[in-house]
Amino acid sequence: MIKMTSRRVDGVTILDIGGRITLGEGSTQLRDSIRQLLAAGEKRILVNLGEVSYIDSSGLGELVSAFTAVRAEGGELKLLNLTRKVHDLLQITKLYTVFDVHDDETSAIASFAAA
Amino acid sequence: MIKMTSRRVDGVTILDIGGRITLGEGSTQLRDSIRQLLAAGEKRILVNLGEVSYIDSSGLGELVSAFTAVRAEGGELKLLNLTRKVHDLLQITKLYTVFDVHDDETSAIASFAAA
Amino acid sequence: MLESRIENVDRAEAAAEEVARAAGFDVDEQHHIAMAVREITVNAITHGNQLDAAKKVHLDFSISPAGLIIEVRDEGRGFDASKLPDPLAPDNLLRQSGRGIFLARAFMDELDLKNLRHGLEVRMAKRKRR
Amino acid sequence: MLESRIENVDRAEAAAEEVARAAGFDVDEQHHIAMAVREITVNAITHGNQLDAAKKVHLDFSISPAGLIIEVRDEGRGFDASKLPDPLAPDNLLRQSGRGIFLARAFMDELDLKNLRHGLEVRMAKRKRR
Ligand SMILES: Nc1ncnc2c1ncn2[C@@H]1O[C@H](COP(=O)(O)OP(=O)(O)O)[C@@H](O)[C@H]1O
Ligand SMILES: Nc1ncnc2c1ncn2[C@@H]1O[C@H](COP(=O)(O)OP(=O)(O)O)[C@@H](O)[C@H]1O
C-alpha cells in the first residue's frame, strides 16, 4: 500500500510517495529509497508527500532520519505538498520547524542551493 | 442496499431479492412487495433469495409473515436459492421445516399447484 | 455514545465485525458475532430504551487471549428472561418475532442476561477455537 | 486475541476506527482515535511483549454516552513513565523515536499509564463534543 518513485528535475531528485508511511509498511521502503539516493550521490532531495494518506510515529521517525542522513552527507532534504493530516502531525510534533516545507514544486526546486 | 423485482413465469410470480433483509432496510420493502402482489391477486409466489447476503431476525420474521399472509389468501409462498448463510439461519430456527425450499427455478415453478 | 436510533444498529454491527476480525476470528465467526451484536443492540434500542433518544446504549468489546467478550447495556426496565418463549416450539414457529436472543445465543458461546437497577445488561462471549 | 505480531497492529487500528465510528465520532476523530490505538498497540507488542508471540495484548473498547474508553494491556515489564523524554525538547526533536505516547496523548482527551504486576495498562478516553 505504499508507492515510491523518483524523478529528477533541474538537479533535484523528487521522491513521490503515495500511501501509508507506517511501521512495517512504508517506513522501511522510505529508508531504503533514501539510502539508494545517497549511495547514487543524490543529495538534493524533495520528498513529495501529496499522496500520503497516513504517517504514524514510525514514519515520522523515518522522515527525521532521512533528513539527518541527507544533511550528514552535506545535502538537503525538503518536503512538498503536505496533506492536512500530515501537516497537523508535523505541527503537533514541532517537526514543522525542522523541515523546509513547500507547496509548489517549481519554487521548491528553485529553493535548493545550486550544485 | 436492497433490490426487489418481480417477474412472472408460467403463472408463478418470482420475487428476486438482492441485498440485506434486515430491520429498517429490507424488511419493510419485503412486506410492501408481498402486500402489492396479494392485492394484485398473485398468490403463487416464489421468493428468490439467491442474491440475499444477510437476513436478521426481523427479516426472518418478515419472511414468516409473508408466508402466513399468502397462505391466508389460499396461496403458496416458496423459497428459491438459499445462500449458505440463509440456509443455516433457516436450519437453526427450524424454519427450514416450514418453507418449501427449492434450488432450481424450473422445478420450483412446476411444484406450484396448477391455477 | 449510541443514541437509541436504528441507524446505530448498523454502526454497532460494523464495529463488532471489525473487532471480531481484530480478535482473529474467521469470516464466518465475524459474521455470527456481528449478527449477535445486531440482535442484542436492536433489543436494547427498541425493547429496552423504546427508541427514546435520551436513553443510551453502552457497548463494550473486550479482546483477550481467550476470545472476545461483548457487553450491551441499555437504560430500560429489563425483563424476566425466564419467561422468554422458545421460538422453536411448534406454536411459536410461525410467529413474526421472538428469534433475536435465540439467534444471538446460537452464534455466541455464552449469553447472559442481567437486570440492573436501570436497564438490561447482556454479556456475550465467543471463545477462540484452537 | 492479539498475538504479538505487527500485522495485528493494523487489525487493532481498524477495529478502533470502526468502534469510533459506531460511537459517533466524526472522521477526523475516528482517525485520531485509530492512530492513538495504533501507537499504543505497537508499544504493547514491541516494547511490552517484545514480539514474543506467546505474550498477548488485551484490547478493550467501551462505548458509553460520554464517549469512548480504550484500554490496551500487554504482558511485558512495564516502565517508569516519569522518565519519558519530551519529544518536543530541542535535543530530542531530531530523534528517530519517542513520539508514540506523545501523539496518542495529543489525539485523546486522557491517557493514563499503569504498571500492573505483569504488564503495562494504557487507558485512553475520548469525550464526545456537544
Ligand atoms: N433490552 C431489553 N429490554 C427489555 N426487554 C427485552 C430486551 N431484550 C429483549 N427483551 C424482551 O425479550 C423478548 C424477546 O426478544 P427477542 O428474542 O430478541 O425477540 P424479539 O425482539 O423479536 O421480540 C422481547 O420481545 C422483549 O419482550
Ligand atoms: N508497553 C510498553 N512496555 C514497556 N515500555 C514501554 C511501553 N510503551 C512504551 N514504553 C517505553 O516508552 C518509550 C517511549 O514510547 P513512545 O513514546 O511510544 O516512543 P517509541 O516507541 O518511539 O520509543 C519506549 O521507548 C519504551 O521505552
Side-chain angles (χ1 to χ4, degrees), chain A:
Chain A
M1 293 282 278
I2 176 112
K3 252 181 56 184
M4 234 172 259
T5 52
S6 69
R7 53 200 165 95
R8 237 174 165 266
V9 181
D10 292 344
V12 171
T13 303
I14 304 171
L15 189 62
D16 295 299
I17 308 186
R20 293 162 61 103
I21 312 183
T22 56
L23 182 68
E25 281 188 277
S27 286
T28 327
Q29 280 105 310
L30 176 58
R31 188 182 327 162
D32 291 348
S33 296
I34 296 292
R35 269 200 202 130
Q36 281 165 25
L37 293 178
L38 286 177
E42 314 275 351
K43 294 179 183 169
R44 286 176 297 178
I45 301 174
L46 181 60
V47 179
N48 178 10
L49 299 172
E51 299 297 318
V52 168
S53 55
Y54 191 173
I55 303 187
D56 68 1
S57 76
S58 164
L60 274 181
E62 218 54 68
L63 271 182
V64 172
S65 289
F67 175 84
T68 55
V70 173
R71 202 172 58 174
E73 303 268 327
E76 281 185 287
L77 181 146
K78 303 183 177 204
L79 303 183
L80 180 64
N81 294 333
L82 306 189
T83 60
R84 185 170 54 85
K85 274 183 195 169
V86 172
H87 174 273
D88 290 352
L89 214 53
L90 291 185
Q91 199 101 62
I92 294 173
T93 53
K94 281 202 177 170
L95 290 173
Y96 207 82
T97 63
V98 167
F99 290 101
D100 187 17
V101 176
H102 292 263
D103 284 332
D104 176 72
E105 186 172 308
T106 313
S107 61
I109 291 168
S111 77
F112 279 85

Side-chain angles (χ1 to χ4, degrees), chain A residues 57-58, chain D residues 39-50 72-74 76-81 84-85 87 95-103 113 115 119-122:
Chain A
S57 76
S58 164
Chain D
E39 296 293 345
I40 298 305
T41 307
V42 166
N43 284 353
I45 289 178
T46 58
H47 302 308
N49 293 348
Q50 311 203 311
V72 181
R73 196 168 76 229
D74 62 48
R77 299 222 193 115
F79 76 107
D80 183 356
L84 262 183
R95 282 184 50 186
Q96 179 167 355
S97 62
R99 296 180 186 86
I101 293 173
F102 173 83
L103 283 177
L113 301 153
N115 287 299
L120 183 75
E121 179 178 278
V122 182

Side-chain angles (χ1 to χ4, degrees), chain C residues 65-115:
Chain C
L68 181 56
I69 295 173
I70 302 172
E71 285 173 7
V72 181
R73 196 168 73 229
D74 63 48
E75 301 178 355
R77 299 220 194 118
F79 76 109
D80 183 355
S82 71
K83 303 224 168 79
L84 262 184
D86 174 6
L88 302 190
D91 281 355
N92 296 333
L93 217 50
L94 290 182
R95 283 185 50 187
Q96 178 166 357
S97 62
R99 296 179 186 87
I101 293 173
F102 173 83
L103 283 177
R105 211 165 235 149
F107 289 147
M108 301 296 285
D109 292 317
E110 285 170 40
L111 187 150
D112 297 307
L113 301 152
K114 196 156 114 192
N115 286 299

